[in-house]
Amino acid sequence: MKQLGDILLDGGLVTPEQLGVAVVEQKRLGRSLGRVLVDQGVLTEGQLVAALAAQIGMRFVDLGEIQVDGSALARVPGHVARRHTAIPIGYEDGKLLIAMADPANVFAIDDLKSAAGGGRGDVDIKPVVATRNDVLAAIDRYYRADDALDDLSSEIGSLDDEDEDLSNVRAAVDDAPIVKFVNLLITQAIQDRASDIHLEPTEHDLRVRYRIDGVLHETMRSPRSIQSGVISRLKIMADIDIAEKRIPQDGRLSVTTAGKKIDLRVATLPTVWGEKVVMRILDNSTAKMDLADLGFSDYNYGVFSKSFVKPYGMILVTGPTGSGKSTTLYATLNVLNKPEVNIITVEDPVEYRLAGINQVQVNNRAGLSFASALRSILRSDPDIVLIGEIRDHETAQIAIEASLTGHLVLSTLHTNDAPSSITRLTEMGIEPFLVGSAVDCVLAQRLARKLCERCKEPYQLTEEEMVALNFPGWQAGEQIPVLHRPIGCSNCAKTGYKGRLALHEVMAVTEDIERLTVQRASVTAIADSALSVGMRMLREDGLRKVALGVTSVDEIFRVVVA
C-alpha cells in the first residue's frame, strides 16, 4: 500500500518541506500525519479524506458537487443513513452507490444492504468515501422531515373549525400525530435556517412556507382537515387563548434542538379561511453576536464605533422590517454591557433575553406604552437606554430629552436611508434645534443574500456596464474587477445563495448637518452634506461587497433602490 505522504506529494497537495515539518510534529505529538497537516492548515478535511481514500484504493466524492439520485435515496430509510453516517447517491454498474464516512465498517455495509433490499440483503452495494461533515449535511438536506410530515398529515383526524368544546379541542391537539407534526415542522424550519414559519389556511388545504435568507419558500401543503388541530396545538404551546378565533393574538414558546434553546414568537391573524399563524424563530445566539461580525466595512465600523463610545447622545438604526436592526442594536449593547453601567431597554416585543440588562416589555392593554415606560426608566438611574422603536411624537420627545440630559439612547426608525431620519423626527413635531443637538449618528441597513461559496461563478462586466453602475473604486480605463454571480447547486438548494450579510450607510451628524437640520433643509441637502464628508450610501457599500465576491450585483439592486 502506498504511503500517505507519497500520495500527497504525487498529487501536489504538499511540498517536501511541509511534509518534513509535519513528520517531525507527528512524532512529537503522537498524532496521525494527516491530522497534523490539517491542523497546520496545509490540507483541508476533504483533501485529507480524498488522499486516505486513494491510499486504500477507494473513490472519493464531493457531495456538494453531485446530484443525488432520488430513487437511490429512497432505498435506505433516513434513520439507517443517520445511524451509519452513509447516504445512497446513485447507481453504478448495477450497484447501489453509497457515500460513507467509514467505508471499512462491514457491519454498517451489511445493515445498509438489508435496508436497501427490504430485509432480504440481496442488493449489491458499492461504497465510496466522503467527509463525515459532508455526509451529515447531505442527510440533513435530502432526508427532510417532509415525508414524515406528509405521513403524519394522513394520521391526524379532522377537527371541526366551529367546535367550541374545549375538552374536545385539547384532547385532539394532545393526540400524538399532531404533536409529532408540529415538532417536525419547527425542527425542519430550524434545520433549514428559516427565520419565519408561515401556516396559511386556504380554501382546500393548509400551506406551509419558510422564510430563508429573506425569501419565502413553499415547503408543503397539508389537508385542510388538520388545520384546526395544528393551529390549536401551537396556540396551547404559546399560551394563547384557543377559544378566541376572531381577533389577532400573540405569544411565545421555546424548543430545544441539537442541545440549543430556540425561542419562537407566535402571532395569529384571522383570515377568511381560518387563522393564519406566523412564527418568528429567535435564535438566542444572534443576541450574543459581536459587532465586528455584522459585516461592517472598516470605514463604516470606524464611523459607527465613535458614536457609541460617547456617554450621551442618540444613535438611530433605520431600515424596513426584517433588515437586522434589532441584531445590530443588541450587538452594540453587548459591547456596552459592563458592570459599571445601568442599561435598560423598552421593547415590543422583547425578542432576545440579554444577561445583565434590564428589559421592559411594552403592554398597551395595561397602559405601559413606549412613552410611559420611558418616563419610568428615566427615574431608574439609567446610563444607556434602548427604545425598540420611535413611533410617535411623545416617545420621540422623551428620547430626545433623555439624550440631551446625559444618557446614551439607542433606537430604531422606519426610514429608507440615514438622512431621512433627521427629517422624520422633525415631521413628528420635534423642534429641529433639539434634533440637531441630540442625534449623534444614524445607521441605515439592509440584508442581502450571500453567494454560495461552492457554486458562485466568476465573470466580468463590460466597461460600459461598469460606467453605468458608477462602480465604486473603479475608473474608466482601469482593469475591470472579477465579479461573481449565482449558479445554484445542491449545497444552496439551487438558489445560488446561502446566508446573508448586512449593507450599511453610516451618517455621523456633523456641525454642517446640525445647521441644516435647524434650517429645516431637505433630505437631499442633508445627504449631500453627509456625502461630502465621506458617507457611503447603501448602494456603494453593497457594490464594494460585490467586488469582494460575497454577493451579486442583482442581489444588491433587489434590496437597494438604484
Side-chain angles (χ1 to χ4, degrees):
M1 184 185 293
K2 202 170 183 180
Q3 294 296 313
L4 177 62
D6 294 332
I7 292 173
L8 295 173
L9 285 171
D10 292 346
L13 296 173
V14 299
T15 64
E17 293 77 13
Q18 290 172 327
L19 185 61
V21 171
V23 168
V24 173
E25 285 296 291
Q26 174 195 10
K27 293 176 181 177
R28 185 177 70 83
L29 298 173
R31 304 181 68 185
S32 68
L33 177 63
R35 183 49 52 193
V36 170
L37 286 165
V38 170
D39 291 344
Q40 290 177 340
V42 177
L43 291 180
T44 65
E45 195 76 33
Q47 289 171 328
L48 172 61
V49 174
L52 291 172
Q55 188 180 21
I56 59 175
M58 296 193 71
R59 196 165 96 222
F60 172 79
V61 294
D62 184 347
L63 293 178
E65 299 298 327
I66 64 169
Q67 184 64 46
V68 172
D69 187 330
S71 61
L73 196 70
R75 300 290 295 272
V76 177
H79 68 275
V80 176
R82 291 183 189 280
R83 185 191 310 151
H84 299 300
T85 319
I87 183 170
I89 57 175
Y91 297 93
E92 192 173 279
D93 301 327
K95 297 178 180 179
L96 183 64
L97 205 61
I98 297 187
M100 303 180 68
D102 182 11
N105 187 339
V106 293
F107 299 106
I109 292 174
D110 287 343
D111 201 6
L112 290 164
K113 279 185 179 180
S114 177
R120 297 188 302 275
D122 54 356
V123 175
D124 285 333
I125 283 179
K126 183 174 183 179
V128 291
V129 185
T131 67
R132 176 173 294 275
N133 287 341
D134 277 0
V135 173
L136 291 174
I139 290 172
D140 286 342
R141 191 159 61 245
Y142 293 109
Y143 284 108
R144 295 172 54 85
D146 296 354
D147 293 337
L149 289 172
D150 289 338
D151 292 341
L152 287 169
S153 298
S154 62
E155 294 180 36
I156 300 174
S158 174
L159 184 66
D160 189 354
D161 281 348
E162 303 303 321
D163 190 351
E164 295 297 334
D165 186 340
L166 295 188
S167 61
N168 291 343
V169 173
R170 289 186 181 276
V173 299
D174 286 338
D175 190 36
I178 283 186
V179 173
K180 289 180 183 176
F181 183 93
V182 170
N183 291 346
L184 280 169
L185 201 67
I186 295 171
T187 301
Q188 187 65 59
I190 295 169
Q191 186 174 292
D192 285 356
R193 303 178 295 105
S195 60
D196 300 87
I197 307 170
H198 291 242
L199 280 76
E200 301 167 323
T202 67
E203 183 178 4
H204 303 292
D205 52 27
L206 178 67
R207 180 169 69 162
V208 178
R209 294 193 289 174
Y210 294 157
R211 187 177 294 278
I212 302 171
D213 293 336
V215 179
L216 279 171
H217 300 271
E218 184 173 316
T219 59
M220 65 175 295
R221 286 180 180 264
S222 296
R224 184 173 168 80
S225 60
I226 75 169
Q227 174 183 319
S228 292
V230 170
I231 291 174
S232 296
R233 169 67 183 170
L234 287 168
K235 290 169 79 172
I236 287 174
M237 292 172 70
D239 198 22
I240 294 173
D241 183 359
I242 62 173
E244 182 55 75
K245 301 179 181 180
R246 300 164 298 174
I247 61 173
Q249 299 184 82
D250 57 79
R252 194 180 183 104
L253 62 90
S254 296
V255 297
T256 301
T257 178
K260 187 165 65 171
K261 182 182 176 184
I262 305 288
D263 293 330
L264 291 94
R265 192 178 76 209
V266 183
T268 68
L269 181 71
T271 71
V272 292
W273 300 117
E275 288 181 285
K276 172 184 169 77
V277 177
V278 177
M279 291 179 279
R280 168 66 58 89
I281 299 173
L282 307 170
D283 185 350
N284 288 312
S285 62
T286 302
K288 300 172 185 175
M289 288 186 71
D290 191 281
L291 198 57
D293 297 332
L294 298 184
F296 279 94
S297 66
D298 291 341
Y299 176 80
N300 281 338
Y301 185 78
V303 177
F304 185 61
S305 61
K306 288 178 183 176
S307 64
F308 61 74
V309 295
K310 297 178 182 178
Y312 56 85
M314 177 180 279
I315 300 171
L316 295 173
V317 181
T318 78
T321 300
S323 59
K325 299 188 298 295
S326 295
T327 300
T328 299
L329 287 176
Y330 283 132
T332 305
L333 285 186
N334 285 335
V335 176
L336 300 172
N337 189 9
K338 298 173 183 175
E340 57 267 26
V341 295
N342 179 23
I343 302 176
I344 306 180
T345 76
V346 52
E347 305 168 64
D348 183 23
V350 175
E351 291 190 343
Y352 303 104
R353 270 67 168 177
L354 299 175
I357 292 177
N358 308 283
Q359 296 175 272
V360 178
Q361 168 76 56
V362 167
N363 187 341
N364 289 311
R365 288 185 180 179
L368 185 63
S369 63
F370 275 112
S372 60
L374 198 47
R375 287 194 203 92
S376 299
I377 284 173
L378 295 177
R379 292 193 290 268
S380 300
D381 187 33
D383 297 293
I384 300 167
V385 177
L386 183 147
I387 307 164
E389 183 184 346
I390 294 178
R391 300 176 180 173
D392 52 51
H393 168 80
E394 190 177 8
T395 305
Q397 187 71 42
I398 300 169
I400 290 283
E401 291 172 358
S403 66
L404 291 172
T405 53
H407 303 88
L408 180 62
V409 177
L410 294 84
S411 189
T412 69
L413 270 178
H414 283 290
T415 61
N416 290 327
D417 54 30
S420 298
S421 59
I422 300 294
T423 55
R424 177 63 55 85
L425 288 172
T426 58
E427 287 165 0
M428 283 183 176
I430 308 300
E431 290 294 335
F433 71 91
L434 292 177
V435 175
S437 301
V439 179
D440 190 70
C441 181
V442 184
L443 166 67
Q445 72 177 53
R446 300 287 189 279
L447 291 179
R449 291 179 294 174
K450 294 170 66 176
L451 286 167
C452 173
E453 289 295 329
R454 284 184 182 269
C455 67
K456 66 181 183 181
E457 178 185 64
Y459 76 108
Q460 283 185 303
L461 294 171
T462 64
E463 185 160 324
E464 292 76 16
E465 289 172 325
M466 293 290 285
V467 171
L469 284 174
N470 191 22
F471 208 92
W474 177 86
Q475 293 181 350
E478 293 181 348
Q479 183 177 355
I480 297 173
V482 175
L483 309 182
H484 292 79
R485 58 190 169 198
I487 296 298
C489 65
S490 57
N491 183 56
C492 58
K494 301 296 180 183
T495 63
Y497 298 96
K498 190 169 185 181
R500 288 195 287 179
L501 76 159
L503 314 178
H504 300 104
E505 177 178 290
V506 186
M507 184 184 80
V509 177
T510 62
E511 289 185 6
D512 191 41
I513 292 176
E514 186 174 343
R515 178 179 54 77
L516 290 170
T517 303
V518 173
Q519 294 173 356
R520 296 184 182 268
S522 66
V523 173
T524 304
I526 294 172
D528 289 343
S529 175
L531 289 169
S532 70
V533 293
M535 183 185 81
R536 293 177 179 174
M537 298 178 69
L538 284 164
R539 178 182 178 282
E540 179 183 349
D541 190 51
L543 289 175
R544 287 180 181 274
K545 285 168 180 171
V546 169
L548 293 174
V550 294
T551 189
S552 68
V553 173
D554 288 344
E555 179 64 10
I556 295 304
F557 289 117
R558 184 183 73 85
V559 298
V560 177
V561 177

